[in-house]
Amino acid sequence: QAGVTLGQGCAHVDANGGDWHGAWSTGARSRITARPAPGSSPSTLLILGHYFDGNTRTRVRVNGADLGWQQLGPAQRLPIPAGTQGPIDIELEHEAPRRPDAADPREMAFFIREITLR
């Protein structure tokens, strides 16, 4: 895999090790760009992570194609639209983002741990 870029709606990367190395979503939508390795044509996308406080699903769009509400985290591969070339734009719509406490301004829904293209 050539790389993943976290965009709008993603916090900085937390390097806490193991299952807690990744980034929290912030707000109602998160944008991510995944770049396949040169010459590869991936057909599936895997997004692993953890939900926060009552969140259980995420609406996923890949290059504009709506894949509906998905439960991210389990080893469920999502289809990448046929004919996709180049960078893969991922938009995550979060069902119920909320602040962890009054002192933390982030509205979190999903902790993004891993994104894999195959």
Side-chain angles (χ1 to χ4, degrees), residues 19-61:
D19 286 348
W20 295 105
H21 182 90
W24 281 106
S25 64
T26 57
R29 294 181 192 270
S30 299
R31 294 192 167 278
I32 302 161
T33 302
R35 289 174 187 75
S40 70
S41 297
S43 60
T44 63
L45 165 69
L46 176 65
I47 303 171
L48 297 177
H50 313 283
Y51 282 101
F52 176 70
D53 195 22
N55 286 273
T56 60
R57 63 184 190 156
T58 304
R59 186 168 209 138
V60 180
R61 291 179 183 84

Side-chain angles (χ1 to χ4, degrees), residues 34 36 39-42 63 80-89:
S40 70
S41 297
N63 285 4
I80 294 173
T84 297
Q85 299 289 319
I88 297 169
D89 295 314

Side-chain angles (χ1 to χ4, degrees), residues 85-97:
Q85 299 289 319
I88 297 169
D89 295 314
I90 304 161
E91 181 182 340
L92 305 177
E93 181 181 338
H94 308 292
E95 189 170 32

Side-chain angles (χ1 to χ4, degrees), residues 4-17 19-27 30-32 100 104-108 110-113:
V4 172
T5 302
L6 300 176
Q8 184 177 358
C10 297
H12 66 279
V13 173
D14 291 328
N16 295 323
D19 286 348
W20 295 105
H21 182 90
W24 281 106
S25 64
T26 57
S30 299
R31 294 192 167 278
I32 302 161
D104 192 331
R106 299 175 296 173
E107 292 202 354
M108 305 181 315
F110 186 70
F111 186 77
I112 305 160
R113 197 169 57 82

